[in-house]
Amino acid sequence: MPEMKKARTGAPTPERAMEETCSGPLPENKYTTLDRSISISEFLRSGADNALHLGELMLLTGADGRTVRKAIEVERRRGVPILSDNRNGYFLPACEEEKERFARSMRRRAGEIMQTVQAVERGGRKEAY
């Protein structure tokens, strides 16, 4: 039997997530089987302290992680400022500083990815890996 992981301290159950992350009823679930679109920003609150982790968004939307991440990317490219960090999760900006911190982080990640691509392109090819 696989070992069960403990939820992080304070991680809401689906019921508690709905109660604690919203000041009022949650918006209607935007997950549809026709276009598989989700409006993630409707579930988010302002500020890193009010962020939701991917698992919590999966519970709230009923969608799998890949679909949630894709929906976030679609909204971001449409100009919705959905921010994230590794500690807190996904959230809307509460101030300009949060947006600037997110942008710096994304630029740094892009640079690291480019360094990896360049190293692989420069590297020799081995017969067997």
Side-chain angles (χ1 to χ4, degrees):
M1 183 163 81
E3 190 176 314
M4 299 296 289
K5 292 183 179 181
K6 289 185 177 181
R8 67 181 173 86
T9 305
T13 61
E15 296 79 19
R16 237 181 68 213
M18 288 188 223
E19 293 169 7
E20 294 180 3
T21 61
C22 299
S23 55
L26 278 175
E28 184 178 315
N29 188 333
K30 298 294 182 183
Y31 183 74
T32 65
T33 54
L34 295 176
D35 63 4
R36 301 186 75 72
S37 66
I38 302 171
S39 180
I40 298 298
S41 59
E42 292 183 30
F43 291 97
L44 300 176
R45 298 291 179 240
S46 295
D49 292 339
N50 299 311
L52 295 175
H53 288 276
L54 178 62
E56 294 165 323
L57 289 170
M58 290 167 56
L59 289 171
L60 291 170
T61 62
D64 61 83
R66 185 178 190 154
T67 302
V68 171
R69 287 189 303 271
K70 179 65 177 170
I72 290 168
E73 186 61 26
V74 167
E75 285 190 70
R76 282 176 171 166
R77 291 187 181 195
R78 289 182 180 154
V80 179
I82 297 175
L83 310 184
S84 63
D85 63 33
N86 291 330
R87 191 172 129 244
N88 299 302
Y90 296 95
F91 56 97
L92 299 174
C95 61
E96 285 300 312
E97 181 187 344
E98 287 182 338
K99 286 170 59 173
E100 291 166 4
R101 188 178 328 126
F102 173 77
R104 276 193 311 273
S105 174
M106 293 296 278
R107 284 189 189 97
R108 188 171 36 252
R109 285 177 54 197
E112 291 169 357
I113 290 167
M114 284 307 299
Q115 288 176 357
T116 302
V117 168
Q118 292 165 354
V120 168
E121 289 174 341
R122 284 190 309 267
R125 184 176 184 146
K126 292 186 178 184
E127 291 299 316
Y129 288 96

